[in-house]
Amino acid sequence: MIVIFGASGNVGKATAAALRGAGHAVRAVVRNEQQGADLAQLGCEIALADLLDRASVSNVLRGADAVQILCPVPVGDPHPAASMHRMIDMTVEALRANPPSRVLALSDYGAELESGTGITMLFHALENQLKPVMQNLTLLRAAEHMQNWARVLPVVLSTGILPSLHHPLSKRFPTVAAQDVGRLAAQLLLDHGYADGLRTVSVEGPQRVSALDVARTLSEVIGREIKAHELPREQWTPTLHRAGLSADHATLITELYDTHNAGHIDVEARSELRFGTTEFSEVLASILPSNATAAR
């Protein structure tokens, strides 16, 4: 039995689909039954769990041969770091009490850095707490998800402007489709030929992009001109607050982009590097509202 935490998300659902397609038993862990509807149609066993409750996590781990761990950043939480640290603590305690033979942890580019990465420091904490507990641990560090640009699409479609925290606009950065991360995770979970120990794998898309590239691709997909705009540093925090992020969450985001823009976040030298196959244009087309291309 392979247990997938966060199975209703873009990555988890792709992992579950790939594993079920290969004929493996999958226990899909979700927060509520509604999230499990599509996964049940794939033939997954649906399990409900609260990552802030150790007993709940321990229950879904029973009988697991392999586990895919995801500790999601709590959206709308006034103190997301504190909540995520509690999730990590609960998950690691449950794994220590009932260790499966293999664990794959979904992580981020830059998780090896000791400080200054904002929200990525939470994945640094996850990795460090898992390392002494699991004998066979794979860290799958993903580049920025292409789907994350969906957050700014309402602004883009209403104004024709793509605001970017990536500075300068010409800076090329790694990004990856969430479904490619999920499919690779499934392959790594099934890789019995890898010796027991710690394995670090990084994944990004077919090519790196800049904010200018994103705007150009959006223009092509939508059928009207979209211009990239370098959001001034002093506007980051108020903009994130208007988007509904708490003060603590906004700080985590600004710290991350400061470090990213300084060029300190990339593939760790000792990591295996893999590449997804999904192009940015495919993802953007899939996340646009159905009427977005009507005004060509």
Side-chain angles (χ1 to χ4, degrees):
M1 174 67 72
I2 301 176
V3 175
I4 307 296
F5 283 83
S8 63
N10 291 326
V11 174
K13 191 175 293 184
T15 303
L19 291 172
R20 287 296 302 138
H24 295 276
V26 173
R27 181 178 296 148
V29 182
V30 294
R31 289 191 302 273
N32 56 65
E33 291 183 1
Q34 184 177 3
Q35 288 182 330
D38 291 343
L39 294 157
Q41 290 184 355
L42 292 174
C44 296
E45 173 189 324
I46 306 303
L48 306 184
D50 178 357
L51 291 182
L52 291 172
D53 179 74
R54 178 181 169 180
S56 174
V57 175
S58 296
N59 185 53
V60 300
L61 287 175
R62 289 195 178 95
D65 301 307
V67 178
Q68 179 168 303
I69 290 295
L70 168 66
C71 287
V73 179
V75 178
D77 192 314
H79 307 292
S83 295
M84 189 167 165
H85 277 298
R86 289 198 299 274
M87 288 183 201
I88 294 169
D89 290 342
M90 295 299 101
T91 301
V92 173
E93 286 178 16
L95 287 169
R96 182 186 289 111
N98 190 16
S101 59
R102 304 185 309 284
V103 169
L104 181 143
L106 296 170
S107 188
D108 267 4
Y109 271 34
E112 75 280 4
L113 300 178
E114 297 286 342
S115 64
T117 59
I119 212 158
T120 299
M121 284 303 301
L122 302 173
F123 296 95
H124 177 79
L126 174 64
E127 290 189 5
N128 279 355
Q129 287 185 234
L130 283 171
K131 286 176 185 177
V133 173
M134 299 309 308
Q135 292 185 346
N136 191 340
L137 173 65
T138 297
L139 305 175
L140 179 52
R141 295 176 181 159
E144 177 181 316
H145 288 188
M146 296 176 184
Q147 283 85 351
N148 289 353
W149 289 89
R151 301 167 185 167
V152 299
L153 283 181
V155 173
V156 172
L157 296 174
S158 64
T159 66
I161 301 295
L162 175 74
S164 176
L165 275 62
H166 285 286
H167 295 179
L169 296 177
S170 59
K171 175 176 70 73
R172 298 178 70 81
F173 53 89
T175 185
V176 67
Q179 61 266 33
D180 285 346
V181 180
R183 288 191 284 261
L184 175 57
Q187 294 173 23
L188 295 172
L189 282 165
L190 298 177
D191 189 359
H192 295 278
Y194 189 79
D196 288 352
L198 176 64
R199 184 180 194 180
T200 305
V201 181
S202 298
V203 58
E204 58 184 77
Q207 61 271 322
R208 297 190 171 194
V209 300
S210 67
L212 293 173
D213 294 326
V214 178
R216 189 179 305 114
T217 303
L218 273 171
S219 298
E220 294 169 356
V221 173
I222 295 173
R224 62 186 177 93
E225 185 180 15
I226 301 298
K227 293 184 178 180
H229 170 64
E230 187 176 293
L231 193 66
R233 177 63 176 76
E234 65 272 12
Q235 293 182 19
W236 289 6
T237 297
T239 298
L240 292 169
H241 286 170
R242 286 195 296 273
L245 271 64
S246 67
D248 285 359
H249 200 160
T251 297
L252 294 173
I253 296 295
T254 56
E255 286 180 356
L256 172 61
Y257 277 91
D258 279 338
T259 304
H260 213 306
N261 292 338
H264 299 315
I265 293 181
D266 211 315
V267 178
E268 186 181 16
R270 67 181 180 87
S271 172
E272 302 173 39
L273 179 58
R274 305 290 185 87
F275 295 93
T277 59
T278 307
E279 298 288 347
F280 214 120
S281 57
E282 297 176 57
V283 172
L284 290 178
S286 71
I287 61 179
L288 281 167
S290 58
N291 62 349
T293 60
R296 283 180 180 265

